[in-house]
Amino acid sequence: MLTLVAFIVALGLLIAIHEYGHYRVAVACGVKVLRFSIGMGKPLLRWKRPGSDTEFVIAVLPLGGYVRMLDEREGAVPAEQLHQAFNRQPLRKRAAIVAAGPLANLLLAVALYSVVNWVGVEQPKAIVSAPEAGSLARAAGLQGGECIQSVQLGQAPAQAVESFEDLRWQLTQAALNAQDIRLFWRDTRNGRQGEGVLKLADLGSAALDQSMLTTIGITAPWTPPVVGEVMANMPAARAGLQAGDVVQTVNGQPVVDGAQLRSLIRNAVQNPPVAQTWVVERQSRLQTLEVVPELATTEQGRIGRIGAYIGGMPAMVTVRKGALDGVAAGVARTWDVSILSLQMMGKMLVGEASLKNLSGPLTIADYAGKSASLGWIQYVLFLALISVSLGVLNLLPLPVLDGGHLMYYLWEGVTGHPVNDVWMERLQRVGISLLLVMMSIALFNDISRIWG
C-alpha cells in the first residue's frame, strides 16, 4: 500500500508541476487554455474556477497529463478569439509555452534539493570498506577504513567530500567522463594521510552499468566487523557466535570491516563445506571458533551463509547548508544530474552503456515505496531525481515530446516557415515508434529487476 500511495503521489505531483508550467506561461502569453488535465482517459473529477473558462480535470490514468489550448488546428475558433489561439502566437511565445513544462520540473528539483540542504540529512561518512582484490580501489592503495577527505579531477582544484553518498556521486561522474580521479584520505586506524589515483579511464564502456561501483571497488561505507542477530539452528549459532562479537581474523586473515567479512562468508562455496577459523573479541577477551558456512543458491549463484547479521552501523555525519548555499547546491545538483542523465542517454544511444540502465514505471514505483519507507527526506530526494529525469527526457529532440516541438520551432526560426504537414506526420510516427521502443525496453528491465 505504501508503494502504491508513494507512486501515485510522486506521479501526481510531477505531472501537475509539468503541466502547470505549460498552463501558467500560456495564460501569461494571452493564450486561452481549454483544459488542464492531470492523468489521461476518462475524467474522474472536473471543475472550473470562478471567472475562468479553463476546465480542470483529474483523469483515471495517472501516467501523463496535458494542457489543451485554443488552436485552429484542432477546431474552428471564433473570430473574436483568434488572438488567443496558440497557433496565432509569435514563435517566441509558442517556444516559451512548450519549454515551460520541462523547466518547471527542473525548478521543482532545485526547490526540493534546496529544502533537503536546509534541513540537513544524515549520511554515512566517506569511510570506505575493504575493496575486493583486483579492484581499481585496491590498485589505488585503499585497504579499507580510509576516510576520503577530498577528490581531484584532472588539474581542477580538489573538492571536499561531505559524505559517502557525495563520494559515490563524484565517482559516477568521473567514470561517465572517463576521467581518472585522485583521492586524498586519512586512515582512521592510524591517522596517516594518503592519496591514490583511481584509473577510471581504464573502465571501458562495458563497465558503465549498475555494477560500475563494484568494478571500482567502492560499494559501501565502512562498518565494524560485528556479529549482529544470530539465527537459531544456523551455522553461526552452532559455532557459538553471539551478538556483539567483534571478528578479528578469519583463517588468519585480518578482518577490516563488515563488508570484507560478508565477502569471506559468501565466497566459502566449497562442497562439502569447509570450516573457517574465526578469532573474535568478546567482552575484551579473544576466542577461537570454528564456523562452517552452509551453501545457498541465489540469483547470483551459490554463496556461503552462516545465519547471522554481519556488520554494525556506519559512522554518520549531518550534511546541512545555509540559505544561499543550500539553493546554490540545489542548482548545482540539478545541473549535474541533468548533464549526467544526458551523458548516460548518449552513451546508451551509441552502445557505450547498457540499455539495462533504462527504468520504467515498475522500478519507479518500487523505489518510491522504498524511499518513502526510509523517511520523508529520502522520499523528497527521490522526487527531485525523478523530476530532473522527467524534465530532461521531455527536452530531448524527439517528436511527440516537448523537445521535438522546440526542434520544429528552431527549424521555423532558421528557415522562416514551419515544418510542413507531411513531414510533421512522418516525424510524429517516428517519434511514437521510438518512444514505444524505449518504453518496451524499460518495462522489460523492470520485470527483469523485480521478478527476474
Side-chain angles (χ1 to χ4, degrees), residues 201-411:
D202 298 337
L203 275 177
S205 60
L208 296 178
D209 57 21
Q210 293 179 331
S211 64
M212 179 175 62
L213 292 174
T214 302
T215 305
I216 294 173
I218 298 178
T219 58
W222 182 90
T223 58
V226 176
V227 177
E229 181 182 356
V230 176
M231 298 173 61
N233 302 317
M234 293 293 285
R238 289 194 291 267
L241 285 170
Q242 297 180 10
D245 287 348
V246 181
V247 182
Q248 304 294 312
T249 65
V250 173
N251 291 338
Q253 179 180 349
V255 176
V256 177
D257 75 337
Q260 180 195 10
L261 181 56
R262 288 190 293 271
S263 178
L264 290 170
I265 297 169
R266 285 196 303 268
N267 292 335
V269 293
Q270 298 91 339
N271 193 11
V274 176
Q276 295 177 332
T277 302
W278 288 32
V279 176
V280 302
E281 181 182 345
R282 182 184 300 166
Q283 297 178 350
S284 302
R285 298 180 62 183
L286 296 180
Q287 296 194 26
T288 301
L289 303 173
E290 296 294 315
V291 182
V292 185
E294 66 179 22
L295 289 177
T297 301
T298 68
E299 296 175 2
Q300 291 74 35
R302 294 196 309 172
I303 64 170
R305 66 179 182 182
I306 65 171
Y309 185 86
I310 300 297
M313 286 293 295
M316 305 295 286
V317 61
T318 300
V319 180
R320 183 183 293 115
K321 299 182 184 298
L324 295 180
D325 287 342
V327 174
V331 171
R333 177 51 63 97
T334 301
W335 173 261
D336 288 343
V337 173
S338 301
I339 297 300
L340 191 67
S341 300
L342 289 172
Q343 288 177 325
M344 181 59 77
M345 290 178 189
K347 289 183 180 293
M348 285 191 288
L349 185 64
V350 299
E352 292 185 0
S354 173
L355 291 175
K356 292 180 180 179
N357 290 288
L358 282 176
S359 298
L362 297 180
T363 296
I364 294 173
D366 184 42
Y367 279 108
K370 288 178 178 177
S371 62
S373 67
L374 293 174
W376 73 270
I377 288 181
Q378 294 302 320
Y379 186 61
V380 167
L381 289 172
F382 162 79
L383 290 176
L385 178 61
I386 300 301
S387 192
V388 173
S389 300
L390 183 60
V392 170
L393 177 64
N394 273 281
L395 285 174
L396 294 179
L398 186 66
V400 311
L401 297 179
D402 294 328
H405 290 285
L406 293 174
M407 180 177 63
Y408 299 152
Y409 297 153
L410 177 62
W411 170 268

Side-chain angles (χ1 to χ4, degrees), residues 3 31 55 79 143 162 165 172 177 189 192 200 238 246 249 256 300 311 320 356-357 371 373 415-416 428 434 442 445:
T3 295
V31 175
E55 180 185 44
Q143 300 296 318
E162 296 181 323
E165 294 301 318
T172 301
N177 289 315
R189 294 162 297 185
R192 293 177 182 172
L200 302 186
R238 289 194 291 267
V246 181
T249 65
V256 177
Q300 291 74 35
R320 183 183 293 115
K356 292 180 180 179
N357 290 288
S371 62
S373 67
T415 64
Q428 291 293 98
L434 290 174
N445 290 341

Side-chain angles (χ1 to χ4, degrees), residues 24-33 81 83-85 89 93 97:
R24 187 66 262 167
V25 175
V27 171
C29 289
V31 175
K32 184 175 181 178
V33 177
Q81 295 182 4
H83 68 286
Q84 294 180 293
Q89 303 305 311
K93 287 189 176 182
I97 293 170

